[in-house]
Amino acid sequence: MTSNKMTSNKMTTNSTITDNSKAAAPMQELQLESTLGAMGEENQQRSIPVIDLSDFSQRKAEITEQLWLAATDCGFFQLTNHGIDVTRIEQAFSDAEGFFALAPEIKQQMPLRPGTNAGWESMAQVRPSTGTADQKESYQITRPRMTNLWPSQSLPSFEADMLAFEASCWRLGIQVLSCFADKLGFDADFFANAHQPDQQSYQSTLRLLHYYATQGDVAVDENNWRAGAHTDFDCLTLLFQRTGQHGLQVCPGKEAASNQWTPVVPQTGMVTCNIGDMLMRWSDDQLKSTLHRVRMPKAGEYQGPRYSIAFFCQANQDVVIQGPGHKYPAISAADYLQQRIEANFAGNSNA
């Protein structure tokens, strides 16, 4: 922890920042996933911290210490009493089901546009850890990039519902990030200023996910994944799961060599969070991004579809990322994400 205060330092991308950061970026940070495709083993002994956010303003100092411990140790934690009503979460899942139930020819009219994180894709994300496509479809919502990508005729209330839910996720994400700002010595509103949804440079994303149902016994092996092992590129991920739809497993980044994976029990009203690579860099590696994956159901387990919703807090494109101790060169958020995509998904435009 550092005692110096830093304000949100936004600036337009320039070539000096880009070139210096690319030259100095450690390759182990950029290529970790390619080494993580093996099945490994389950570790039921790890616990995922559960943090109660009730009375946040009065308890912020206490909550901050709990979040910091969870984020520096495991990198994964779950939130209760977080302010997003379970009925709103259930409505978001109902809307997601409605979208994915649309005919393929309708969804194909809203394709994921390369480099935008907006639109629909199916079986298009190939993880470096597996070399095979994730067994899922997804629909990305990034506010400034949604022209002609809403299913307005088929689902008239979908856009309004999703934007309201996205706004709720933004508020919760910024609340959590304000605690990390305090510990890092930044101003309390540092991350709020870095993630401004009214700007064209906004690039936080709400992602609806539908993992396909399996039929009969499906091989559970290192070549067959609903989502292969990976870390997220963002600052903070908020994940909503549905009770009974299992498969998510985590391995703390500092323990990647162990290849031991702990199941995260899904509960509809609970928000599961993980630190992303962007915040790990922004904290000079004090906060740890965490490996996670979604395995296929085993024989005897629920074989139906799995739905989840993720919100990725990603700093606006022109925000400059540099930690309090200047461990890494400054880089714009746009260049950082592009760097991560190029390193991890070379040749895959749907990253």
Side-chain angles (χ1 to χ4, degrees):
M1 178 178 175
T2 180
S3 60
N4 67 302
K5 288 286 183 181
M6 298 179 65
T7 57
S8 178
N9 50 346
K10 295 178 65 178
M11 63 183 294
T12 302
T13 304
N14 63 60
S15 59
T16 301
I17 290 176
T18 303
D19 292 343
N20 287 344
S21 61
K22 284 187 175 180
M27 290 308 294
Q28 64 268 27
E29 176 191 343
L30 299 180
Q31 297 176 337
L32 174 64
E33 291 181 22
S34 63
T35 67
L36 299 168
M39 280 295 296
E41 59 185 28
E42 287 197 3
N43 181 344
Q44 299 279 358
Q45 302 308 308
R46 289 195 195 105
S47 60
I48 307 299
V50 178
I51 299 172
D52 179 358
L53 297 189
S54 60
D55 301 318
F56 180 84
S57 59
Q58 291 75 30
R59 297 179 52 241
K60 186 179 181 183
E62 172 192 350
I63 292 169
T64 294
E65 293 303 320
Q66 294 175 0
L67 288 170
W68 185 261
L69 178 61
T72 54
D73 181 29
C74 179
F76 245 81
F77 48 91
Q78 294 181 298
L79 305 176
T80 61
N81 297 313
H82 44 70
I84 303 179
D85 192 271
V86 68
T87 56
R88 181 181 287 276
I89 297 171
E90 290 171 340
Q91 181 60 53
F93 274 115
S94 177
D95 288 333
E97 277 196 81
F99 176 85
F100 291 123
L102 295 174
E105 55 268 25
I106 296 177
K107 290 182 287 189
Q108 288 167 1
Q109 296 173 15
M110 298 166 278
L112 181 64
R113 298 165 180 164
T116 67
N117 245 356
W120 172 79
E121 59 81 24
S122 176
M123 304 266 301
Q125 192 163 29
V126 178
R127 301 286 181 189
S129 59
T130 63
T132 58
D134 287 353
Q135 301 298 297
K136 62 173 172 52
E137 61 178 327
S138 67
Y139 175 76
Q140 282 72 234
I141 298 168
T142 303
R143 282 180 177 262
R145 307 171 183 174
M146 297 302 294
T147 302
N148 297 324
L149 291 178
W150 294 107
S152 301
Q153 291 188 342
S154 302
L155 303 170
S157 64
F158 181 84
E159 178 179 354
D161 285 352
M162 287 294 102
L163 289 177
F165 185 68
E166 193 265 2
S168 297
C169 293
W170 182 90
R171 286 191 292 271
L172 176 58
I174 295 303
Q175 190 176 56
V176 172
L177 287 171
S178 74
C179 295
F180 294 136
D182 289 348
K183 294 292 288 187
L184 291 169
F186 297 158
D187 288 343
D189 60 355
F190 179 88
F191 288 112
N193 291 334
H195 299 74
Q196 295 190 32
D198 60 345
Q199 302 294 315
Q200 280 299 114
S201 59
Y202 182 69
Q203 55 182 355
S204 293
T205 297
L206 184 69
R207 191 180 201 194
L208 313 182
L209 292 144
H210 170 214
Y211 300 93
Y212 297 117
T214 57
Q215 296 182 351
D217 291 340
V218 176
V220 180
D221 59 37
E222 55 196 56
N223 296 311
N224 198 13
W225 297 94
R226 279 179 157 173
H230 63 284
T231 58
D232 291 339
F233 298 166
D234 61 344
C235 283
L236 178 72
T237 301
L238 311 180
L239 181 71
F240 301 82
Q241 301 185 90
R242 266 183 158 170
T243 302
Q245 298 182 5
H246 295 262
L248 177 65
Q249 299 177 315
V250 304
C251 176
K254 65 181 182 179
E255 299 177 26
S258 72
N259 205 20
Q260 294 184 344
W261 298 85
T262 298
V264 180
V265 177
Q267 185 174 324
T268 301
M270 187 176 284
V271 181
T272 299
C273 300
N274 63 275
I275 303 301
D277 300 334
M278 182 180 286
L279 187 57
M280 183 166 71
R281 179 166 177 148
W282 223 331
S283 70
D284 292 329
D285 295 334
Q286 295 178 77
L287 302 172
K288 307 297 184 184
S289 62
T290 301
L291 296 159
H292 49 289
R293 66 189 189 185
V294 182
R295 68 161 173 79
M296 294 294 241
K298 296 179 181 179
E301 294 180 337
Y302 167 72
Q303 302 288 318
R306 182 182 191 274
Y307 294 92
S308 64
I309 301 174
F311 180 70
F312 301 103
C313 296
Q314 299 183 145
N316 289 26
Q317 291 174 302
D318 54 350
V319 170
V320 174
I321 298 168
Q322 189 164 52
H326 294 190
K327 180 176 181 178
Y328 300 107
I331 185 172
S332 73
D335 287 337
Y336 180 74
L337 289 179
Q338 186 58 39
Q339 187 183 91
R340 300 294 283 135
I341 290 169
E342 289 175 356
N344 284 269
F345 294 100
N348 178 12
S349 62
N350 286 327

